[in-house]
Amino acid sequence: RPQKEQYTQKEPSPKGTVYPKRTVPKRNSVPKKNRPQKEQYTQKDKRSDFMQKVTIYTDGACSGNPGPGGWAAVLISGDYKKEISGGSKETTNNIMELTAILEALKALKTECEVELYSDSAYSVNAFNQGWIYNWIKKGWRTAGGSEVKNKEIWQEIYSLTKKHKVTFNKVKGHSDVELNNRCDELARAEIDKL
């Protein structure tokens, strides 16, 4: 009968024996410093990249203050241009200026990057000089403690500036700014209709 092969316990390797390490290929063999860098975007940049760019001119007019008034806006995006306007029998110039901005922003169907031009320092400075943010902190009250006039319109405009990326620009009224003059013409035509 054949003898079973005898297995003995493997003798431990002598101390100090060095075995070669198993080499595993790296996932990316290109040195890190030579790898192409990913383009960095901030959240705001990403949002702007896909926004439609729109230029808006607005103006308001009033015959008497208060009195009958009109507002108008011209919206331009690429080759597309749209004119909107309206009026009110008893209003103020500031209300018409704000209404022109509000109605122009409400006319935008998707999120847009907007360059907005107005000859109303009252409207433009509220954002560019940070007045509106202070009003909000104080519960829609001015630095003097009185309630902000036309608060409801301001609140709607502010809400729309959270949806759209809006840059406010001041232009000189009744000068050589063609589209501002066009808005003034449309606003005054609305007064004549009343």
Side-chain angles (χ1 to χ4, degrees):
R1 184 180 294 182
Q3 295 293 317
K4 289 184 179 179
E5 190 174 352
Q6 299 295 316
Y7 292 93
T8 59
Q9 188 175 357
K10 188 175 180 182
E11 293 182 5
S13 302
K15 289 184 178 181
T17 303
V18 178
Y19 293 95
K21 290 184 178 180
R22 184 183 174 194
T23 56
V24 179
K26 292 182 180 179
R27 288 181 64 189
N28 194 335
S29 58
V30 179
K32 190 170 183 180
K33 64 179 181 180
N34 294 333
R35 291 178 203 166
Q37 294 295 315
K38 289 183 180 179
E39 194 167 357
Q40 299 296 315
Y41 288 98
T42 62
Q43 192 64 32
K44 199 169 188 180
D45 290 333
K46 283 184 178 180
R47 185 168 169 241
S48 300
D49 283 347
F50 299 99
M51 279 182 164
Q52 183 178 354
K53 289 177 172 53
V54 180
T55 300
I56 296 175
Y57 283 82
T58 66
D59 196 20
C62 202
S63 180
N65 198 17
W71 61 267
V74 178
L75 298 85
I76 303 168
S77 181
D79 295 330
Y80 177 79
K81 183 167 84 169
K82 181 179 183 179
E83 295 180 342
I84 58 175
S85 59
S88 180
K89 288 184 178 179
E90 187 70 15
T91 187
T92 66
N93 191 71
N94 281 342
I95 289 174
M96 291 294 93
E97 294 281 7
L98 292 173
T99 301
I101 293 171
L102 174 60
E103 294 299 329
L105 294 177
K106 283 169 69 174
L108 302 175
K109 304 301 182 187
T110 59
E111 290 186 11
C112 296
E113 185 176 354
V114 180
E115 287 290 335
L116 191 145
Y117 297 85
S118 170
D119 61 11
S120 167
Y122 172 63
S123 306
V124 172
N125 289 343
F127 284 93
N128 289 353
Q129 295 189 19
W131 301 346
I132 193 165
Y133 309 111
N134 290 328
W135 297 340
I136 293 169
K137 286 178 185 176
K138 294 176 181 293
W140 289 99
R141 292 192 171 275
T142 66
S146 59
E147 189 175 26
V148 173
K149 292 181 179 179
N150 312 313
K151 178 178 74 173
E152 292 77 13
I153 306 176
W154 279 118
Q155 287 173 332
E156 283 193 81
I157 293 173
Y158 177 73
S159 177
L160 288 166
T161 63
K162 304 298 285 182
K163 177 182 178 182
H164 307 288
K165 182 184 174 185
V166 184
T167 302
F168 288 86
N169 302 279
K170 173 73 171 64
V171 295
K172 188 177 179 180
H174 310 289
S175 59
D176 57 352
V177 182
E178 180 185 351
L179 291 175
N180 180 253
N181 290 338
R182 176 58 180 160
C183 287
D184 181 66
E185 180 184 336
L186 290 169
R188 294 193 178 281
E190 289 293 336
I191 297 174
D192 294 338
K193 293 178 186 178
L194 298 173

